[in-house]
Amino acid sequence: ALLLLRGVSGSNATNTIIDSPAPEQFRIFETKFVANPPRSPLGLCEGDCDKDDECADGLICHQRDENEEVPGCTGGGSDSSLTDYCI
């Protein structure tokens, strides 16, 4: 991803473009079945959760139907299981 960095050096404005991986919050993660029940908190796009407290802090358990997309994740639309994922 190209990032534009703006700055000021003395009285001069500077713009720098760098090539960098996308920040974590903008990445799209592939859905991943970990375990049911999970042994530790599940991360973003990981399943199979049954309730919010099985997800890492700040995530919720997204209850889904067969082949339903998982918000912010890829792979849910082709998943015919009833696996629920943390988002």
Side-chain angles (χ1 to χ4, degrees):
L2 295 177
L3 298 176
L4 174 63
L5 302 176
R6 295 178 185 241
V8 176
S9 177
S11 61
N12 298 320
T14 60
N15 291 326
T16 305
I17 296 176
I18 61 170
D19 191 10
S20 172
E24 189 82 9
Q25 67 267 29
F26 297 116
R27 291 188 188 158
I28 304 257
F29 290 86
E30 181 86 25
T31 55
K32 177 181 175 186
F33 179 85
V34 176
N36 184 5
R39 290 188 170 83
S40 60
L42 295 168
L44 183 62
C45 302
E46 291 183 340
D48 181 25
C49 58
D50 294 309
K51 51 191 176 197
D52 293 348
D53 65 2
E54 294 176 336
C55 300
D57 287 344
L59 301 177
I60 61 167
C61 182
H62 175 69
Q63 303 292 316
R64 59 184 285 280
D65 294 322
E66 182 178 326
N67 296 324
E68 180 183 337
E69 295 289 340
V70 179
C73 308
T74 62
S78 60
D79 179 359
S80 62
S81 75
L82 296 176
T83 300
D84 302 317
Y85 296 95
C86 296
I87 59 170

